[in-house]
Amino acid sequence: MYRRQSASTKALVLRSVDYRDADRIVTLLTEGMGKVSAIARSARRSQRRFAGSLEPFAIIDAVIDPGRGELATLIEARVVKGYPNILLDLGRMSTAAAALDLVTRGTAERQPDAEIFRTTAALFRILDEGQQPAEEALVSFRIRATALMGFAPDVDACGRCGRPAPPGQAGLFDPAAGHLVCRACGGAPIYLSASSRRRLQLAAGPSWAEAAGKWPDKELGQVRRAVDAFLRSHQLSP
């Protein structure tokens, strides 16, 4: 019998570490409860209740008792959707792990956001299918994920004077401030071409996956540099 307050939700494993003799502490990104840290008691002994479900890169069905303290209790879990091709390629594994690290750093405990869950699962599907380049997919995911978290890079206008940057115009991006700075306001260190700005704008919206196709090398370099610097400035990457 489950406790009355327990709930079933789809989840992704963000982190899993051994604890004591047989337990595990897991951090889950859930569809219904947001990010949840939970103890899976006897997880390293019980194949019936967990059956290999506490590893990353799979969607699981998790039964969670939220409890009253910081740690919830993971009662049981089972894999409902695997992404085996990610596990067969070190590059895809690294890309998926980087996405999970961003979600771990950027989401608050127990703040439900089903769209973050769906976006992360969509990235796993893209990586598993292997039809789009992993690097472009990760950059696009990072932009979309930070937009959902509420602080994506703003490349629409100068963040100091408010002057709009028209479509078709290049811009200068300040990663620490997270916005463009026009030349009249002193400029900023990272140059973004008009096409790079458009790529950032597209990736921030619900059609982010459309921005994950093959990019010109110059454009990829500009956007990656801007996003990497932005994430470091906001302590969202190592």
Side-chain angles (χ1 to χ4, degrees), residues 167-191:
Q169 179 176 299
L172 300 173
F173 180 70
D174 182 343
H179 56 64
L180 299 179
V181 180
C182 69
R183 295 189 185 278
C185 291
I190 297 180
Y191 173 86

Side-chain angles (χ1 to χ4, degrees), residues 14 27 103 109 156 207 232:
L14 298 175
T27 305
V103 173
E109 289 277 340
D156 295 331
S207 299
R232 287 194 301 270

Side-chain angles (χ1 to χ4, degrees), residues 92 95 123 126-127 130-140 209 211-215 220:
R92 296 184 204 182
T95 298
L123 175 68
I126 289 170
L127 295 175
Q131 297 178 0
Q132 293 168 287
E135 191 166 6
E136 282 89 332
L138 178 60
V139 174
S140 297
K214 181 63 179 174
W215 302 2
L220 175 60

Side-chain angles (χ1 to χ4, degrees), residues 92-103:
R92 296 184 204 182
M93 286 180 63
S94 177
T95 298
L100 293 182
D101 181 72
L102 171 59
V103 173

Side-chain angles (χ1 to χ4, degrees), residues 72-214:
T73 298
L74 180 61
I75 297 172
E76 66 177 22
R78 64 183 181 90
V79 174
V80 294
K81 173 64 177 176
Y83 300 96
N85 292 325
I86 293 178
L87 299 174
L88 297 175
D89 185 284
L90 289 176
R92 296 184 204 182
M93 286 180 63
S94 177
T95 298
L100 293 182
D101 181 72
L102 171 59
V103 173
T104 302
R105 292 170 182 268
T107 54
E109 289 277 340
R110 306 197 190 191
Q111 296 294 319
D113 190 335
E115 192 57 36
I116 285 280
F117 175 86
R118 287 192 288 266
T119 299
T120 308
L123 175 68
F124 284 5
R125 177 185 53 77
I126 289 170
L127 295 175
D128 189 67
E129 292 174 351
Q131 297 178 0
Q132 293 168 287
E135 191 166 6
E136 282 89 332
L138 178 60
V139 174
S140 297
F141 170 82
R142 283 173 159 168
I143 297 165
R144 177 57 176 163
T146 53
L148 292 172
M149 294 170 191
F151 48 87
D154 181 1
V155 294
D156 295 331
C158 175
R160 294 184 183 174
C161 69
R163 180 182 300 169
Q169 179 176 299
L172 300 173
F173 180 70
D174 182 343
H179 56 64
L180 299 179
V181 180
C182 69
R183 295 189 185 278
C185 291
I190 297 180
Y191 173 86
L192 293 172
S193 67
S195 58
S196 294
R197 283 186 53 231
R198 175 59 186 154
R199 188 78 68 174
L200 277 159
Q201 291 166 329
L202 178 62
S207 299
W208 69 274
E210 296 178 13
K214 181 63 179 174

